[in-house]
Amino acid sequence: MKGVRSHADPGSLGRVGLFIPCYIDQAYPRVGMAAVRVLDRLGVRFEYPEDQTCCGQPMFNSGCFRDAAKLARKVLKAFRGFDSVVCPSGSCTGMIRDYYDLLLEEEKDTPDFRRLVTRTYELCEFIIDILGIEEWEGSFPHKVGLHQSCHGLRGLGLGAPSELVVPGRTGKVKRLLESLGGLELVTLSRSDECCGFGGTFSVFEPAVSSFMGLDRLADHERAGAEIIASYDVSCLMHLEGLIRRQKKPMRVMHVAEILDGASA
Amino acid sequence: MKSHAALAARFLKDPERARWHDEALWFVREKRDRLARAVPGWEELRDTAHAIKRHALANLPMYLEEFEKNAAARGAVVHYAVDAVEHNRIVLDILKARGARLLAKSKSMLTEECGLNEFLEANGVEVVETDLGERIIQFAGERPSHIVLPAIHKKKEEVGEIFHRHLGTAAGESDPTALARAARAHLREKFLAAPAGLSGVNFAVAETGALVICTNEGNADLVTSLPDLHIAVMGVEKLIPRSRDLAVFTRLLARSATGQPVTAYTSHLLGPRPGQEMHIVIVDNGRSDILKSARFHRAAFCLRCAACLNTCPVFRRSGGHTYNYVIPGPIGTILAPHRDLKKYKDMPFASSLCGSCSAVCPVKIDIHRQIVLWRNEIVEAGCLGRVKSAALKTMTAVMRRTRLFAAAGALGRRALRLTPRFLYNNKLTIWGATRDLPEMPAKSFRAQYKAYRRTGKIEGDRM
């Protein structure tokens, strides 16, 4: 497409499946639609198999591996025959890639399973690593704070975790956002601290969870962010809930919404 | 026993204090980051440390034998304790045989784990902690809230108050230098009076029989050298094969723990000094069981550096006393269930699974992965609780059927759209007590997507 530098031919990717996690389907369809439009604009031909719901992460994170396995099996079935899967969520992608091997003992060595767990990509990762696009031409003249959600950051490597001593400490998503005209990424005092959502942690430990979230908000606010952006809208749901309750002058956006809005 | 969630909620009732606690530990975490970045090949060092630990602990019997032989050749007496009870008994017997009724002690988490102090006090031995932080909490009658900074939860004014009561410092005196001076004078008397000293061990070198103790206050050097009797206690996992391995571990330890290039004192004890008796008590106390476990054996690699505590966003905002086990924070969370799964069943849930712990760990323990695996053990043992189990079972049943999920979702969204917001965004709900629920869209993604493919237009709500 015009305005986007791509190295790979988006048409030669084989069968690409779109995985829209349950909470995006029900509570944040606008994020799913933004992902659809971003992929459409990149010329990626993909399918959205309808028989999909949840990756099983809430059950897995609560220790209910048997329940999670049932849903993992459903995901495996939904994307059987696909060459790769794209998902606009770092933590759901991480769930599939990092933890399905703990859940599906029997299926573990089948080609379908191996393909699913090695070729499921978070949306930004798909854009950067698979399509080879590192710059997004378009403009988004706002001050943005990037919330680097933990599973995408430390699990998938979408950013450079502050704990690790790794060369070239700019994350992938950060680079993509910085390439947008007018977009100013604010500097946070803690670049990648957890927001406290943590799935069921947010209701099992509500006091700590909320406190962590408020600390993140304060950091973004001090840095002058108008928008908190992330590749995980689950963290954003938690932060948005706190923003609204505290009546803070900030809003949250998924990276897909920013890319979609910028190139429109 | 109250759960971590309940104790943490209480800790957070004083937000100012909670932020102070968070900042104090974050300061250490940042120091650690700076120091780590200054070392070439930091990540390779972590890999190497992991490999050494794996090797040493996989060959434990061989290295134990080698260590015992070499330590004995240098004049130390090596004892083995299978558990805490045996450990405490051995220490008491050694003290009794020499008629020692006062014990000067440097910092050891193992003795906390074994409850040594209480046991000795009950048997007529006065125990004096000589690490400043440990002495503060000993006076206060508390347990350490942190494994390296045991009194990190105390403000200097509170320490002043404690010293005023126990050491007779001036009322209201809270100047750290003045307080440290008072502690030093007090402890010096104890160092000189104590017929016996007890220390922990950071590393025990098999090929030389040496004990290596890393401290900042110099108290361990007095405890191990002044009295005519020195007892060193260590968990079996402290064993490393060769002296050269220390080059890896001492580079990692202080940087990870406190953000120092090296501890002020790194003392190598090669047998007792002339005229001194040295006993080394090597303790298992469940470590062999950890090492046997396929899922959890790496927990035994721990150096007790506390980097995972300092980085843990939950620990920093709840404090060490909200974890019911003697070792708090992420590492405590994966050690406690080995001790008693039911008793500590709340600990693995005191984590957002952010993974920062695993990323700072100098020996690369897969801490956050083990935390989630422990949650599974708790579920399998039937300890999750009926309400949580039932909720997750129901959720699973709905998620398994796409049509049911879509219908339930539509119903739920409709209900939320029709219900006045104050009914769910309120103090009576867990989520809504502090957070608003998102405004629910009229149509789900699947509905919007279908329409988009049909009409080419996006309907519904965009930002």
Side-chain angles (χ1 to χ4, degrees):
Chain A
M1 71 164 276
K2 193 170 174 264
V4 174
R5 290 169 205 157
S6 174
H7 307 306
D9 172 12
S12 67
L13 295 165
R15 251 182 112 195
V16 179
L18 177 64
F19 177 41
I20 297 295
C22 53
Y23 66 96
I24 294 185
D25 180 31
Q26 292 300 317
Y28 290 94
R30 61 166 209 257
V31 171
M33 290 311 295
V36 164
R37 285 158 58 101
V38 162
L39 290 172
D40 273 358
R41 282 166 193 206
L42 289 169
V44 177
R45 289 178 55 195
F46 64 92
E47 295 165 53
Y48 170 69
E50 272 202 51
D51 196 17
Q52 54 168 290
T53 55
C54 167
C55 66
Q57 192 176 191
M59 298 77 190
F60 175 79
N61 279 2
S62 306
C64 303
F65 287 14
R66 290 169 203 266
D67 290 327
K70 291 173 187 164
L71 298 177
R73 209 160 278 132
K74 188 178 170 74
V75 171
L76 182 61
K77 197 173 139 218
F79 291 101
R80 187 160 289 155
F82 283 86
D83 295 297
S84 56
V85 178
V86 189
C87 168
S89 159
S91 70
C92 301
T93 304
M95 178 67 218
I96 294 171
R97 283 229 302 254
D98 295 341
Y99 294 115
Y100 270 19
D101 65 317
L102 288 171
L103 299 177
L104 301 184
E105 282 292 328
E106 282 173 34
E107 295 87 342
K108 226 166 121 171
D109 298 317
T110 64
D112 281 327
F113 181 88
R114 300 285 7 131
R115 205 161 39 235
L116 179 72
V117 300
T118 53
R119 303 189 62 178
T120 294
Y121 304 101
E122 184 279 331
L123 178 68
C124 297
E125 190 181 39
F126 184 77
I127 294 171
I128 298 162
D129 291 345
I130 305 304
L131 300 181
I133 295 166
E134 296 199 2
E135 284 170 30
W136 197 272
E137 283 174 23
S139 134
F140 192 79
H142 294 284
K143 291 178 100 173
V144 175
L146 174 60
H147 174 64
Q148 311 213 55
S149 303
C150 301
H151 296 167
L153 175 72
R154 299 190 188 85
L156 304 179
L158 293 177
S162 58
E163 298 89 0
L164 299 184
V165 182
V166 286
R169 292 186 35 78
T170 313
K172 295 177 189 174
V173 180
K174 205 172 168 188
R175 268 210 308 276
L176 197 58
L177 285 178
E178 275 173 341
S179 71
L180 283 166
L183 186 147
E184 185 192 332
L185 268 187
V186 300
T187 306
L188 301 166
S189 79
R190 300 185 187 181
S191 62
D192 53 16
E193 191 173 44
C194 177
C195 69
F197 173 64
T200 47
F201 175 77
S202 63
V203 287
F204 289 180
E205 288 256 4
V208 182
S209 167
S210 300
F211 205 89
M212 285 165 67
L214 289 174
D215 283 355
R216 287 289 76 228
L217 289 189
D219 197 355
H220 283 272
E221 200 177 11
R222 272 194 305 270
E226 302 162 44
I227 293 162
I228 301 180
S230 176
Y231 39 79
D232 254 313
V233 78
S234 49
C235 305
L236 293 180
M237 174 171 74
H238 164 72
L239 291 173
E240 184 184 40
L242 292 163
I243 287 174
R244 288 198 182 172
R245 183 61 54 87
Q246 304 285 325
K247 302 195 168 36
K248 298 264 186 204
M250 286 187 285
R251 59 193 174 114
V252 301
M253 283 179 91
H254 191 279
V255 174
E257 293 179 280
I258 294 183
L259 298 181
D260 180 31
S263 53
Chain B
M1 204 167 78
K2 282 197 167 149
S3 70
H4 179 274
L7 294 168
R10 199 163 73 189
F11 183 83
L12 293 170
K13 283 234 159 74
D14 186 349
E16 208 178 302
R17 192 183 185 87
R19 295 228 152 80
W20 165 79
H21 189 265
D22 166 64
E23 290 286 346
L25 291 170
W26 183 256
F27 175 76
V28 183
R29 158 69 210 276
E30 286 195 311
K31 261 169 76 185
R32 172 249 172 231
D33 291 353
R34 278 196 301 278
L35 269 284
R37 289 188 208 304
V39 177
W42 177 261
E43 301 302 333
E44 288 76 10
L45 266 180
R46 293 174 67 221
D47 287 330
T48 310
H50 181 94
I52 295 170
K53 278 286 177 184
R54 191 175 50 206
H55 168 81
L57 294 173
N59 296 283
L60 204 49
M62 179 176 88
Y63 287 120
L64 272 174
E65 225 169 278
E66 190 184 350
F67 175 78
E68 183 189 344
K69 189 178 88 211
N70 290 326
R74 293 179 186 279
V77 185
V78 177
H79 308 256
Y80 292 96
V82 72
D83 57 14
V85 172
E86 205 171 37
H87 162 265
N88 293 350
R89 171 58 56 193
I90 290 169
V91 173
L92 180 66
D93 286 349
I94 297 169
L95 294 173
K96 266 189 170 167
R98 279 87 197 158
R101 305 189 68 94
L102 172 63
L103 178 69
K105 197 168 158 264
S106 71
K107 200 168 155 26
S108 152
M109 279 313 295
L110 176 64
T111 60
E112 299 283 347
E113 176 188 320
C114 294
L116 178 70
N117 290 15
E118 298 76 17
F119 176 80
L120 291 181
E121 300 274 359
N123 284 281
V125 178
E126 186 196 343
V127 181
V128 177
E129 293 286 353
T130 64
D131 173 270
L132 181 57
E134 288 284 348
R135 189 61 174 154
I136 292 166
I137 56 154
Q138 191 183 28
F139 279 145
E142 296 177 11
R143 64 179 173 90
S145 73
H146 185 286
I147 61 178
V148 169
L149 312 162
I152 188 70
H153 60 293
K154 294 265 181 242
K155 295 194 172 188
K156 60 183 196 294
E157 292 76 18
E158 295 168 290
V159 175
E161 177 58 30
I162 291 166
F163 278 16
H164 174 60
R165 260 182 290 132
H166 292 269
L167 299 180
T169 51
E173 178 63 81
S174 66
D175 173 50
T177 312
L179 295 176
R181 220 168 259 159
R184 190 174 296 154
H186 157 72
L187 289 173
R188 189 153 297 162
E189 280 171 34
K190 300 291 182 185
F191 285 128
L192 292 171
L198 184 140
S199 73
V201 172
N202 290 98
F203 307 101
V205 184
E207 74 173 355
T208 60
L211 301 177
V212 180
I213 305 176
C214 307
T215 63
N216 278 319
E217 296 171 19
N219 61 311
D221 300 273
L222 293 172
V223 156
T224 57
S225 60
L226 276 181
D228 286 338
L229 171 62
H230 170 213
I231 305 169
V233 299
M234 56 177 265
V236 284
E237 83 283 7
K238 298 292 182 194
L239 217 61
I240 56 171
R242 305 159 300 183
S243 290
R244 56 181 293 191
D245 300 330
L246 286 168
V248 175
F249 290 108
T250 52
R251 227 173 251 181
L252 288 165
L253 181 64
R255 288 184 171 92
S256 298
T258 50
Q260 294 168 276
V262 70
T263 41
Y265 301 87
T266 301
S267 304
H268 301 244
L269 305 182
L270 292 134
R273 65 158 165 75
Q276 190 190 38
E277 245 182 78
M278 181 197 254
H279 295 263
I280 303 170
V281 187
I282 303 177
V283 186
D284 187 301
N285 203 29
R287 285 160 177 76
S288 297
D289 293 332
I290 298 178
L291 285 169
K292 269 184 247 163
S293 144
R295 278 181 156 188
F296 301 112
H297 67 280
R298 290 181 210 91
F301 294 9
C302 176
L303 305 181
R304 301 291 188 270
C305 75
C308 62
L309 278 64
N310 300 338
T311 201
C312 178
V314 177
F315 179 86
R316 276 186 271 112
R317 291 177 184 80
S318 56
H321 288 160
T322 57
Y323 300 79
N324 288 306
Y325 186 53
V326 60
I327 298 176
I331 185 63
T333 295
I334 61 170
L335 289 172
H338 285 287
R339 202 63 68 204
D340 188 335
L341 182 75
K342 286 195 173 133
K343 186 174 174 190
Y344 302 116
K345 66 179 194 298
D346 62 316
M347 279 178 68
F349 292 93
S351 164
S352 63
L353 302 177
C354 77
S356 187
C357 45
S358 308
V360 293
C361 178
V363 289
K364 289 190 115 166
I365 301 171
D366 50 346
I367 304 176
H368 73 292
R369 194 175 167 99
Q370 289 196 28
I371 292 176
V372 87
L373 289 171
W374 274 118
R375 291 183 184 179
N376 180 232
E377 299 284 332
I378 288 159
V379 166
E380 293 297 323
C383 295
L384 180 64
R386 274 185 24 221
V387 178
K388 287 174 186 171
S389 295
L392 288 158
K393 280 253 174 310
T394 309
M395 201 172 156
T396 307
V398 173
M399 294 294 187
R400 284 184 76 182
R401 297 161 186 82
T402 308
R403 281 189 173 169
L404 178 60
F405 164 73
L411 206 66
R413 274 182 287 114
R414 196 171 157 73
L416 280 172
R417 285 168 75 88
L418 292 174
T419 310
R421 297 181 68 79
F422 71 87
L423 280 179
Y424 51 83
N425 286 335
N426 66 38
K427 297 268 173 218
L428 299 175
T429 63
I430 298 176
W431 179 274
T434 53
R435 299 162 284 213
D436 282 10
L437 271 175
E439 272 174 37
M440 286 298 160
K443 285 193 172 171
S444 66
F445 170 81
R446 62 189 69 231
Q448 290 190 23
Y449 181 72
K450 243 188 219 164
Y452 174 65
R453 281 290 177 245
R454 217 176 32 239
T455 64
K457 287 197 191 86
I458 292 212
E459 46 178 295
D461 10 46
R462 291 190 58 198
M463 279 193 77

